[in-house]
């Protein structure tokens, strides 16, 4: 449980948000060309990092907008928050 | 070392005020090389080592554990054991474990306090009723005991449940597996550790794995905080930290690690003599031999390795508990804790070879691995020793995420994820 600074609404309690998992997994540009291995990689395989991880979050009980977050999963410390489409900061 | 526990040893040691009991397992310095190394000294890892030594005659093996044995999820779960899973593959896996549980105390000469007090799953809406009836039929076709109970029968089996039809989520029925129940989780780790140690397995605590050495696609050994250990076979049983080890080896797993919480109340006299689970309202409760109510809450939805969860998760669970059991409204909660669970997209485990020769993973048990401990160890030992899965864990391979042949137990298995 922690406080998240929504880029649209400001600081709100984490329970207003929905975690959307690992960020920057790009949808395949040519889905028909993909092998089964590549589909598995896209659909299921995750970095699941212990440490700094790039994630998507949704302000489900607020503005309902999606945004990105950089968070240390070993202590839940939020390093950065940036809007969808913005360049991810290097941490 | 190696004395058999019996009523006579108990009397003998009582005479010296229990101050001269032998150590249950040694504290060895790691050797330079082992035939196999198990990473993770929880119940599943220790059981794997035990069955490798006992059934596959691999005695030159070690278990490395970064903390102390049984200090992870083995000591953090709510000790529920059952096998009433929907799909054939899962039914085979979990009932294999349940059959071993039934003779485990005798086999290990260690009382794991296995208690077949029954597990009841409640239905709160019409879809629950249909799902639970379907699962009951599927279980019986697989030779697993299961009965469907009406609301009156639920009330008769566990009289403190509020079966009023006026509550927000009324009890419309339930299922009962009588062979299911609970066991003492620490004793399971200690019993397996003691028996494995007796057969020559080195149990090395406070030894964290820092790297996996490989020569192209074959493993060569482990870098640990106690030095390099050479081995040709590595079995990783690291629960929530499986992805951390996988990243060291350069492979990817379909896992997300999330905090799961549990809590216990102050101890009271016996009030609930079974285990009651409710998927829809997410509440499950049993009572320990000390008298505490043991309550399982849900997972948080974000990846975290902090071993603590959010307050609202516990609050939601207790709301549901109080609606179902108004009698608990004045009780105080004593302790709350979290563990990190590794969840697969299909909520089924992975017991599998990998693309790297000699590297095996036993992970993805998510929120319900404790019940499978003996079966998981037995089947994983078979997989490591023969470099081939047993027929009972063949479906739980890593390749299912490529082939699409998933064992989708999300919501199907009477489990509250």
């Amino acid at each position: 449980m922690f406080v998240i600074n929504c880029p649209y609404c400001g600081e709100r309690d984490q329970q207003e948000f929905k975690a959307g998992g690992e960020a920057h997994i790009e949808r395949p540009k040519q889905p028909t060309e993909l092998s089964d291995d590549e589909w598995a990689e896209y659909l299921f395989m995750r970095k699941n990092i212990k440490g700094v991880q790039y994630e998507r979050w949704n302000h489900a009980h607020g503005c309902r907008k999606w945004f990105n977050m950089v968070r240390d999963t070993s202590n839940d410390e939020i390093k950065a928050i940036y809007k969808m489409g913005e360049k991810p900061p290097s941490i | 070392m190696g004395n058999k526990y019996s009523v006579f040893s108990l009397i003998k040691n009582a005479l010296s005020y229990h101050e001269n009991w032998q150590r249950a397992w040694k504290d060895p310095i790691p050797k330079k090389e082992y035939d196999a190394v198990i990473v993770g000294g929880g119940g599943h890892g220790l059981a794997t080592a035990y069955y490798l030594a006992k059934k596959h005659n691999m005695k030159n093996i070690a278990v490395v554990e970064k903390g102390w044995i049984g200090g992870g999820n083995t000591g953090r779960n709510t000790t529920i054991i059952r096998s009433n899973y929907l799909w054939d593959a899962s039914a085979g896996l979990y009932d294999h474990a349940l059959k071993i549980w039934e003779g485990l105390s005798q086999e290990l000469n260690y009382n794991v306090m296995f208690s077949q007090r029954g597990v009841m799953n409640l239905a709160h809406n019409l879809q629950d009723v249909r799902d639970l009836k379907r699962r009951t039929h599927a279980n019986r076709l697989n030779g697993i005991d299961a009965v469907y109970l009406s609301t009156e029968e639920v009330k008769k089996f566990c009289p403190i449940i509020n079966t009023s039809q006026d509550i927000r989520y009324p009890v419309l029925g339930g299922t009962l597996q009588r062979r299911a129940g609970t066991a003492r989780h620490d004793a399971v780790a200690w019993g397996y550790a003691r028996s494995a140690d007796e057969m020559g397995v080195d149990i090395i605590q406070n030894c964290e794995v820092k790297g996996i050495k490989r020569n192209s696609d074959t493993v060569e050994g482990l870098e640990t905080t106690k030095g390099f250990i050479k081995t040709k076979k590595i079995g990783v049983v690291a629960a929530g930290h499986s992805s951390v080890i996988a990243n060291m080896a350069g492979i990817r797993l379909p896992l997300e690690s999330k905090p799961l919480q549990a809590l216990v109340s102050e101890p009271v006299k016996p009030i609930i003599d079974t285990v009651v689970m409710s998927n829809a309202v997410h509440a499950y409760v049993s009572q320990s031999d000390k008298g505490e109510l043991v309550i399982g809450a849900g997972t948080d939805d974000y990846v975290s390795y902090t071993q603590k969860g959010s307050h609202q998760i516990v609050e939601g669970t207790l709301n549901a508990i109080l609606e179902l059991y108004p009698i608990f409204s004045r009780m105080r909660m004593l302790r709350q804790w979290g563990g990190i669970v590794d969840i697969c997209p299909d909520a089924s485990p992975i017991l599998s070879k990998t693309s790297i020769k000699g590297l095996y993973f036993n992970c993805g048990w998510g929120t319900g691995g404790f019940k499978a401990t003996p079966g998981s160890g037995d089947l994983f030992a078979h997989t490591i020793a023969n470099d081939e899965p047993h027929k009972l864990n063949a479906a739980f391979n890593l390749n299912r995420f490529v082939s699409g042949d998933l064992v989708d137990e999300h919501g199907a298995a009477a489990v509250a994820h």
Side-chain angles (χ1 to χ4, degrees):
Chain A
M1 193 178 207
F2 37 86
V3 172
I4 295 173
N5 192 3
C6 170
Y8 305 96
C9 310
E11 288 193 346
R12 299 294 177 88
D13 198 286
Q14 172 256 317
Q15 78 180 94
E16 290 187 15
F17 297 82
K18 175 100 186 98
E22 192 178 320
H24 307 299
I25 300 174
E26 204 179 331
R27 187 173 168 79
K29 289 201 170 61
Q30 298 284 346
T32 50
E33 312 278 300
L34 245 49
S35 69
D36 289 350
D37 280 313
E38 287 165 328
W39 269 122
E41 194 68 21
Y42 167 69
L43 283 174
F44 297 124
M45 301 302 166
R46 295 293 176 263
K47 289 181 189 149
N48 197 25
I49 293 167
K50 182 178 186 179
V52 175
Q53 169 157 299
Y54 291 71
E55 307 175 322
R56 300 177 305 174
W57 284 75
N58 178 241
H59 196 179
H61 299 284
C63 62
R64 304 190 62 188
K65 287 197 175 80
W66 285 90
F67 57 93
N68 291 312
M69 183 192 292
V70 189
R71 189 172 56 93
D72 188 336
T73 61
S74 67
N75 57 14
D76 288 343
E77 191 186 317
I78 298 169
K79 303 281 187 189
I81 285 176
Y82 55 102
K83 291 180 183 171
M84 283 288 164
E86 286 180 1
K87 196 170 174 291
S90 53
I91 304 277
Chain B
M1 202 73 67
N3 289 359
K4 199 169 157 62
Y5 291 147
S6 69
V7 67
F8 303 109
S9 67
L10 189 65
I11 294 166
K12 194 180 116 203
N13 280 283
L15 295 174
S16 55
Y17 301 98
H18 297 294
E19 284 173 356
N20 297 318
W21 283 101
Q22 73 279 14
R23 287 183 73 111
W25 52 84
K26 294 181 283 290
D27 188 18
I29 295 162
K31 292 185 213 163
K32 291 224 164 3
E33 185 174 358
Y34 290 99
D35 294 338
V37 176
I38 306 301
V39 179
H44 289 244
L46 293 163
T48 304
Y50 170 79
Y51 292 111
L52 274 174
K54 189 185 174 201
K55 292 173 87 166
H56 305 283
N57 206 28
M58 288 177 72
K59 310 277 166 133
N60 183 32
I61 60 175
V63 177
V64 294
E65 163 59 46
K66 73 171 173 178
W68 63 94
I69 62 164
N73 292 351
T74 300
R76 291 165 191 267
N77 61 76
T78 51
T79 79
I80 298 167
I81 294 163
R82 60 186 180 85
S83 66
N84 55 354
Y85 278 69
L86 178 68
W87 301 110
D88 294 351
S90 318
L93 178 68
Y94 291 102
D95 210 51
H96 177 63
L98 183 48
K99 285 180 187 134
I100 303 176
W101 277 115
E102 287 173 332
L104 193 61
S105 292
Q106 286 74 19
E107 184 182 338
L108 296 179
N109 177 230
Y110 205 99
N111 187 3
V112 299
M113 296 164 74
F114 180 52
S115 158
Q116 291 176 298
R117 58 185 67 187
V119 169
M120 189 160 68
N121 294 94
L122 301 179
H124 298 279
N125 55 50
L126 289 177
Q127 189 59 46
D128 279 357
V129 172
R130 285 189 283 267
D131 288 347
L132 263 53
K133 283 186 175 168
R134 178 193 179 199
R135 182 169 53 70
T136 309
H137 295 313
N139 289 161
R140 288 161 82 157
L141 287 171
N142 278 319
I144 293 167
D145 69 307
V147 285
Y148 187 82
L149 306 177
S150 66
T151 307
E152 293 71 35
E153 287 166 325
V154 166
K155 183 79 179 167
K156 196 168 171 228
F157 189 68
C158 184
I160 60 170
I161 293 182
N162 178 9
T163 50
S164 159
Q165 294 304 297
D166 297 333
I167 61 175
R168 177 67 183 86
Y169 299 103
V171 177
L172 301 185
T175 65
L176 175 62
Q177 185 182 19
R178 289 184 189 278
R179 284 165 62 232
T182 59
R184 175 91 179 102
H185 50 193
D186 298 316
V188 178
W190 298 335
Y192 272 122
R194 181 173 179 268
S195 299
D197 176 272
E198 237 167 59
M199 287 185 287
V201 175
D202 279 357
I203 297 165
I204 305 158
Q205 301 182 75
N206 299 308
C207 179
E208 185 175 353
V209 172
K210 290 293 188 186
I212 289 179
K213 192 174 172 214
R214 47 186 275 208
N215 180 4
S216 68
D217 56 357
T218 309
V219 295
E220 291 192 325
L222 293 156
E223 292 292 350
T224 76
T225 49
K226 292 193 175 181
F228 181 73
I229 300 173
K230 197 176 164 192
T231 184
K232 288 194 175 69
K233 289 187 177 202
I234 300 172
V236 182
V237 203
H241 282 69
S242 299
S243 297
V244 175
I245 306 283
N247 290 339
M248 289 175 191
I251 63 168
R252 299 237 287 168
L253 294 173
L255 297 176
E256 287 196 309
S257 296
K258 297 175 176 179
L260 175 68
Q261 292 176 87
L263 57 161
V264 295
S265 72
E266 58 190 334
V268 290
K269 287 188 174 175
I271 183 70
I272 179 165
D273 63 356
T274 184
V275 182
V276 185
M277 304 178 68
S278 169
N279 197 356
V281 300
H282 207 298
Y284 48 101
V285 63
S286 60
Q287 191 172 15
S288 73
D289 294 322
K290 283 186 284 184
E292 304 155 323
L293 296 180
V294 183
I295 296 168
T299 52
D300 277 292
D301 69 344
Y302 52 87
V303 170
S304 181
Y305 288 84
T306 57
Q307 290 189 324
K308 59 187 181 191
S310 303
H311 179 70
Q312 76 266 13
I313 303 280
V314 169
E315 202 174 20
T317 290
L318 289 178
N319 284 342
I321 294 271
L322 289 191
E323 189 174 63
L324 280 174
Y325 313 92
I327 192 175
F328 295 153
S329 66
R330 304 287 290 276
M331 285 188 71
R332 284 161 296 191
M333 292 299 138
L334 212 59
R335 287 179 291 126
Q336 166 277 346
W337 64 92
I340 303 304
V341 296
D342 43 331
I343 299 175
C344 259
D346 59 354
S348 285
I350 296 165
L351 291 109
S352 181
K353 296 162 70 171
T354 63
S355 54
I356 300 169
K357 192 168 164 41
L359 184 64
Y360 308 86
F361 268 86
N362 181 352
C363 58
W365 291 95
T367 58
F370 175 72
K371 65 174 82 69
T373 305
S376 157
D378 183 32
L379 300 172
F380 197 46
H382 180 101
T383 307
I384 293 172
N386 299 299
D387 198 35
E388 276 304 321
H390 188 278
K391 69 178 193 308
L392 286 175
N393 68 311
F396 298 95
N397 61 60
L398 201 44
N399 197 50
R400 73 180 189 266
F401 298 97
V402 176
S403 69
D405 193 10
L406 303 179
V407 188
D408 188 6
E409 289 288 355
H410 256 306
V415 65
H417 290 290

